[in-house]
Structure formats: C-alpha cells, structure tokens
Amino acid sequence: MINKPLVLTYLYLLIYVLLSSGVILYNKWVLSPKYFNFPFPITLTMFHMAFSGLFAFFLIRVFKVVAPVKMTFEIYATCVVPISAFFASSLWFGNTAYLHISVAFIQMLKALMPVATISMGVLCGTDKPRCDVFLNMVLVSVGVVISSYGEIHFNIVGTVYQVTGIFAEALRLVLTQVLLQKKGLTLNPITSLYYIAPCSFVFLFVPWCLLEKPGMAVSLIQFNFWIFFSNALCALALNLSTFLVIGRTGAVTIRVAGVLKDWILIALSTVIFPESTITGLNIIGYAIALCGVVMYNYIKVKDGRASQLPSDSIPERFTKDRDWKLDKKSSAIINPNSNSDSNEGNFNGSEMNDEEAPLVSSRLSHFGRSFSNHTK
C-alpha cells in the first residue's frame, strides 16, 4: 500500500531540489553577458524583494490569508533591520559573483558555509570552539583551496564577492538565532517576507544608486517582463518549498538533499553553460570539502539528538531537530534560514544555502509541519 505522507514528503524534496537548482541557473542566465545580458545583480535582487514584499502584503493586508504578528518598533529596529541588512548584502554579493565565476565553482565555494557559520557563531558567543568541529572546518577549507587552485577560469573578484556573501549570510543566520529567538518572535515565511523584504529593498537602494543606476542610464537594456516575472516567481516558490520541506522532514534528510542538489547543480551547470569547465582538481578539492561538510553535519545531528530529553513533547523534539539547519541557504527572503542558492531564493538554513534561501527562523519547523498538513 502506498504511504501517501511519505510520497508527499519526497515530492516536496524533489520540488525543492528542482526549484533551488532552477533559481540559481536562471539567475546566472539572466545576469550573464553571454546570455540574457542583464549585468545588474542589485537591480535583479531589488526586483525579487519588491515582488516578494508585495506578495506578502496582499496575503496579509488585502486577502487576510495570513495573520500579521505583533511587531513593535523596538523589535523591528533591533532585529529586523540588522537581519535585513545582512540578508540584502548576502544576496547582493552572491548574485554579483555570477558575473565573474561559474555556477559550478560557486557551489564549490559554498562548501565554506559551515566554516563561516561556526566562525560567526564563536565570535557572537552562540557557539563554543570544539576540536572535532575545528578539524572538520580545516578539512573543508583545505578542500576549497584545492578546488580553487584547480579552477581554470579563476577570478579573484568573483571569488571575493562569493566568499563575502557567504560570511554575510552566516552572520545573518547567527543574528536571526540570537535576536529573533531572544525576543521570542516567531515568523512564518509570509510574515518574514512582509517585514524583511521591504527593509532589504531599502538597504539595496543606496548601492544601486551609486553602482548600477548610472550604468543603466547609458546602457541598452533589454527588459522582458515575463523573464523577470517568472524569475521572481521561481524565487518566491523556492522560499515556500523550502518552508514545506523543513516542516515535513528531519535534519538528516534536508542535509542529504542539499548535498545531492549541489552535485546535480554542478553537473547541470556544465551542460547549460559550456564555458564552465570542471577539472580533476576541482572535483578532488570539492570531494575533500564535502567530506568535511558531511562529518560536520553528522556531528550537529548527533548533538541535536543527544540534547533531546525523554520528557520533551513531540513538537519540541521536532523543533530541536531542525534547529540545526542554521549551521550549514535565495534571493529568497523567507529565511531567518536558507540556500541562497539563488541569491534570491530567500531563506534557508545552512544546508539550504541558496541565493533564494529562506528567511524563516529555525523555530518555525513545527509550524511548517502544521502548514504542510493543511496543504494535503
């Protein structure tokens, strides 16, 4: 007999993998001078933010499908604003990297996400230095260095943009954990978009005026409404699919899906973008880094299970198990979490590191399960 809930779970995972890969490839195609030729990553990111913010506004204020949360000025100023600033920065830098380096190499660099997250966590006091984790991070870093050395079309500017975006995303994840959870604020994907997308748009406006607006005034820009609309729609769909996946699966499943997605994306990018060449040294370096990531994920999942007490309620256990997703994420705005692998997918945890990674907080996992149950 077919297990319908299990089939639905794997269907959500498949949709997440396809959307996550699709958003990244789509962003690369739109931004690349060799293809659609719209070399304005900040503009594209702002379009995603505006689209997602309007979508959330209509659902909350017009159709009243989702109830707003009680947001005070203090919480907005001390939590939403800094989180939005780093979220906007991660999307900006991540999308800009597409102009300089290949999708495959970007995915290899994203293996540094656990290193960045642990580093920011230690600096902010949310994590303590551990020898086993440190050794894994050294292994990941060595793998990424080897992979970079083997990159035929290595570009220092693109690499710096991507690595900076990774650390900005890591800091956003840590701030989300420290600020939002400290305030006891729980946001679902729609309310996350409602509050964070407009603020991110404002932060991006200043660099847009300085860096891209002058160039757009003199460039022959081709604007195709359906291209930009479908691109933003894919980023929004990635946010929602990420949320549903988090609600229906455990940390191990999500991390495995993330690893599978990375390999699929690397392979697909070499087919879709022939100029992307992968060398043997690339593969060896990425494999070494991936071993470190897998070992790190194992440690975090193991620690998460060990921290569960027999007296915990089922919802609490679900929440704790998925809290580790913050450790591994479009211009997705829904993630006070990621997998952002599009830089616009908007919110995800570390294992869902997409450009469109989710902004959803790790405390939403139980809500996500409830939400997904209503969608059956």
Side-chain angles (χ1 to χ4, degrees), residues 97-120:
Y98 288 132
L99 297 176
H100 305 280
I101 54 181
S102 68
V103 171
F105 186 48
I106 286 174
Q107 293 308 117
M108 295 176 189
L109 289 175
K110 284 181 179 178
L112 286 172
M113 190 64 198
V115 178
T117 305
I118 286 296
S119 301
M120 294 299 101

Side-chain angles (χ1 to χ4, degrees), residues 71-86 175-176 178-183 185 199:
M71 178 69 68
T72 64
F73 177 78
E74 184 219 352
I75 293 178
Y76 191 86
T78 60
C79 297
V80 174
V81 170
I83 289 172
S84 298
F86 284 104
L175 286 178
T176 297
V178 172
L179 299 178
L180 284 185
Q181 294 185 12
K182 185 177 180 181
K183 300 289 185 179
L185 183 64
C199 192

Side-chain angles (χ1 to χ4, degrees), residues 57-375:
F57 174 82
F58 276 100
L59 286 185
I60 293 176
R61 296 299 180 185
V62 179
F63 300 108
K64 301 188 184 301
V65 175
V66 180
V69 300
K70 186 177 181 181
M71 178 69 68
T72 64
F73 177 78
E74 184 219 352
I75 293 178
Y76 191 86
T78 60
C79 297
V80 174
V81 170
I83 289 172
S84 298
F86 284 104
F87 179 62
S89 299
S90 68
L91 297 180
W92 167 19
F93 295 133
N95 277 338
T96 303
Y98 288 132
L99 297 176
H100 305 280
I101 54 181
S102 68
V103 171
F105 186 48
I106 286 174
Q107 293 308 117
M108 295 176 189
L109 289 175
K110 284 181 179 178
L112 286 172
M113 190 64 198
V115 178
T117 305
I118 286 296
S119 301
M120 294 299 101
V122 171
L123 289 176
C124 295
T126 61
D127 274 313
K128 295 180 180 179
R130 290 173 48 177
C131 183
D132 53 351
V133 173
F134 176 76
L135 291 176
N136 284 337
M137 297 305 97
V138 170
L139 186 61
V140 171
S141 301
V142 169
V144 171
V145 169
I146 293 174
S147 181
S148 300
Y149 184 77
E151 176 64 17
I152 293 178
H153 303 293
F154 181 82
N155 182 290
I156 186 63
V157 174
T159 302
V160 169
Y161 267 120
Q162 183 58 44
V163 172
T164 304
I166 288 172
F167 275 87
E169 172 69 1
L171 189 53
R172 180 188 67 79
L173 292 173
V174 172
L175 286 178
T176 297
Q177 188 178 28
V178 172
L179 299 178
L180 284 185
Q181 294 185 12
K182 185 177 180 181
K183 300 289 185 179
L185 183 64
T186 300
L187 299 176
N188 62 45
I190 305 303
T191 52
S192 293
L193 286 170
Y194 179 73
Y195 291 109
I196 294 176
C199 192
S200 297
F201 181 93
V202 172
F203 274 109
L204 290 168
F205 184 77
V206 174
W208 176 78
C209 289
L210 297 176
L211 301 176
E212 293 190 358
K213 185 175 180 294
M216 295 179 72
V218 298
S219 299
L220 295 177
I221 302 171
Q222 54 173 328
F223 182 86
N224 185 310
F225 172 79
W226 294 110
I227 291 291
F228 287 92
F229 175 77
S230 60
N231 183 260
L233 190 63
C234 287
L236 180 63
L238 173 60
N239 286 330
L240 298 179
S241 71
T242 302
F243 180 65
L244 292 178
V245 167
I246 292 171
R248 295 193 64 90
T249 64
V252 176
T253 305
I254 293 174
R255 292 175 191 275
V256 171
V259 171
L260 176 63
K261 179 211 67 178
D262 289 342
W263 281 108
I264 292 175
L265 193 51
I266 289 174
L268 280 178
S269 67
T270 60
V271 175
I272 298 175
F273 306 109
E275 68 276 10
S276 300
T277 304
I278 298 179
T279 66
L281 207 53
N282 280 147
I283 297 298
I284 292 173
Y286 185 60
I288 293 173
L290 196 59
C291 287
V293 172
V294 170
M295 292 168 64
Y296 169 75
N297 288 342
Y298 172 76
I299 290 174
K300 300 308 290 183
V301 171
K302 183 179 177 181
D303 288 348
R305 288 174 176 171
S307 68
Q308 295 174 357
L309 299 176
S311 59
D312 286 345
S313 65
I314 291 178
E316 288 171 338
R317 287 201 295 271
F318 282 146
T319 302
K320 287 182 179 180
D321 188 48
R322 283 159 197 119
D323 275 345
W324 296 114
K325 70 185 176 65
L326 288 174
D327 299 313
K328 179 176 171 189
K329 254 242 237 11
S330 92
S331 1
I333 322 164
I334 301 175
N335 174 38
N337 99 342
S338 162
N339 216 200
S340 224
D341 262 78
S342 121
N343 292 308
E344 312 296 302
N346 295 355
F347 319 144
N348 63 94
S350 53
E351 63 275 349
M352 292 181 153
N353 183 32
D354 298 319
E355 278 79 49
E356 311 303 313
L359 291 177
V360 178
S361 135
S362 62
R363 303 185 61 175
L364 297 178
S365 55
H366 177 58
F367 179 89
R369 184 174 295 275
S370 303
F371 179 84
S372 62
N373 288 338
H374 290 300
T375 63

